[in-house]
Amino acid sequence: MSAGADATAGAPEGVERAARWRSVPRWRRGRVPAVLGLLTALALGGHRLLPDLGVGLGSLWESALPWGALVAVAALLCAALRRAPAAACAGAVAAAVWAVLFGPLLLSGGAAGGVPAGGVPAGGAGLTVVTHNVNAHNPDPAGTARALLAVHPDLVALEEVTDTALPAYRGVLDAALPHHTRSGTVALWSRYPVTEARRLVIDPGWNRSLRAEVQAPGGPLAVYVAHLASVRVTAAGFATGHRDRDLAALGGALDGEPLRRVLLLGDLNTAADDRALAPLTGRLAPARTGLGFTWPAAFPLARIDHVLTRGLPAAATWTLPATASDHLPLAARFGA
């Protein structure tokens, strides 16, 4: 029998476990969290290289990309509890990569985009816009509309507007935003004249997108409102085909846009970091400060509601307080 075994013979089980733990070399402790931390760092830094493998793996990972911070935190916590330097190093690397990816977003304005709800002056310089999927089953459309007016918007884009709920939305919004257009289940209210509006056909089976021309300060502004197809996590993987076809068609429509200034608002059912947004981000600039998760409203996990632009100044974005919808409203402020 070894001397180590002699020392613990007859000792309580907890003492034996502690002795075995102390006998493990420090750099061999916490190997599992260390490996997970390093893999997460690689997956964060090289997320564009991660293949879809026919099941949408890359798109799914990029949809959850901000949550990679949890693995880094777990590795660092394990390192502290087990005094495991390997886990500490791996966690620190993962945290550093995450900070490179998302630190600029947080520093640009924080989760609220640097603009408190209700803090935008009515009639002030610049342009304030709001987009909100109001939920077709919203039990309080009037209350939802009043909540959106709290930031004194110049443009409000709504998705999932039903025929039944439309009078309630108009009853609140029309007084502040007298110019209105609707196509199917998407609608736009504007403080400024809407001189042209039409259905935008990007999905022949659905009427959930429109294009309007608004006579905004600074000149004509093409405003697109869109609600794209949803995605599903199935046994076969991340089902994105329908949504991706919508994104490609919307990108093609933007190629034919004659106006210099363009604003796209809507529920794109695509996370902000998902590679699937490329047909739009290759043509328009996302307005994004802070993480600004919008869905689900009860515990937001992803930003699937978006503001994208061309020819407009940089914007601050922020989410508004929850309404009776399953999405949070997203607001953006352009200019002064």
Side-chain angles (χ1 to χ4, degrees):
M1 183 178 293
S2 68
D6 286 338
T8 58
E13 184 178 350
V15 174
E16 291 184 16
R17 283 200 302 267
R20 287 197 299 269
W21 175 78
R22 284 193 298 270
S23 69
V24 176
R26 294 182 65 195
W27 283 95
R28 292 182 59 190
R29 299 174 191 168
R31 285 178 293 180
V32 171
V35 170
L36 289 177
L38 287 177
L39 289 177
T40 299
L42 289 172
L44 284 169
H47 62 94
R48 293 299 185 202
L49 303 177
L50 192 66
D52 276 319
L53 299 179
V55 294
L57 178 63
S59 186
L60 179 59
W61 167 241
E62 288 177 329
S63 297
L65 207 60
W67 295 98
L70 295 180
V71 179
V73 171
L76 292 172
L77 182 60
C78 176
L81 293 175
R82 300 198 62 188
R83 302 176 189 174
C89 291
V93 170
V97 175
W98 189 95
V100 169
L101 288 175
F102 297 105
L105 276 177
L106 299 180
L107 293 174
S108 68
V115 183
V120 178
L127 186 73
T128 301
V129 304
V130 172
T131 182
H132 189 26
N133 181 326
V134 293
N135 193 339
H137 305 292
N138 191 315
D140 184 18
T144 295
R146 285 192 293 271
L148 303 183
L149 289 180
V151 293
H152 310 294
D154 300 297
L155 296 172
V156 169
L158 301 185
E159 301 84 50
E160 293 198 19
V161 178
T162 64
D163 293 336
T164 302
L166 180 61
Y169 291 118
R170 295 202 61 177
V172 175
L173 296 174
D174 282 6
L177 307 170
H179 308 283
H180 165 258
T181 184
R182 181 191 181 215
S183 182
T185 57
V186 297
L188 176 70
W189 278 263
S190 172
R191 188 179 305 278
Y192 308 108
V194 176
T195 55
E196 179 185 328
R198 61 177 173 83
R199 176 190 176 190
L200 181 68
V201 181
I202 60 173
D203 191 328
W206 286 343
N207 186 1
R208 307 203 308 186
S209 51
L210 64 82
R211 178 200 179 271
E213 189 169 319
V214 175
Q215 298 306 308
L221 175 66
V223 181
Y224 290 75
V225 182
H227 181 196
L228 305 189
S230 300
V231 300
R232 297 287 185 270
V233 179
T234 69
F238 201 40
T240 65
H242 192 174
R243 181 208 61 190
D244 292 349
R245 290 191 295 273
D246 286 355
L247 283 165
L250 183 53
L254 290 167
D255 283 340
E257 175 52 55
L259 293 184
R260 179 183 65 86
R261 303 200 310 160
V262 179
L263 179 64
L264 170 60
L265 306 166
D267 173 6
L268 305 182
N269 274 308
T270 316
D273 301 292
D274 190 345
R275 64 188 66 182
L277 267 181
L280 302 184
T281 55
R283 297 166 170 88
L284 304 176
R288 187 184 181 195
T289 50
L291 297 177
F293 297 151
T294 61
W295 179 89
F299 188 85
L301 297 172
R303 181 175 187 151
I304 64 173
D305 302 274
H306 298 272
V307 176
L308 297 99
T309 69
R310 184 179 77 198
L312 291 174
T317 62
W318 70 103
T319 54
L320 303 183
T323 68
S325 172
D326 57 337
H327 289 238
L328 294 178
L330 179 66
R333 177 73 174 172
F334 298 90

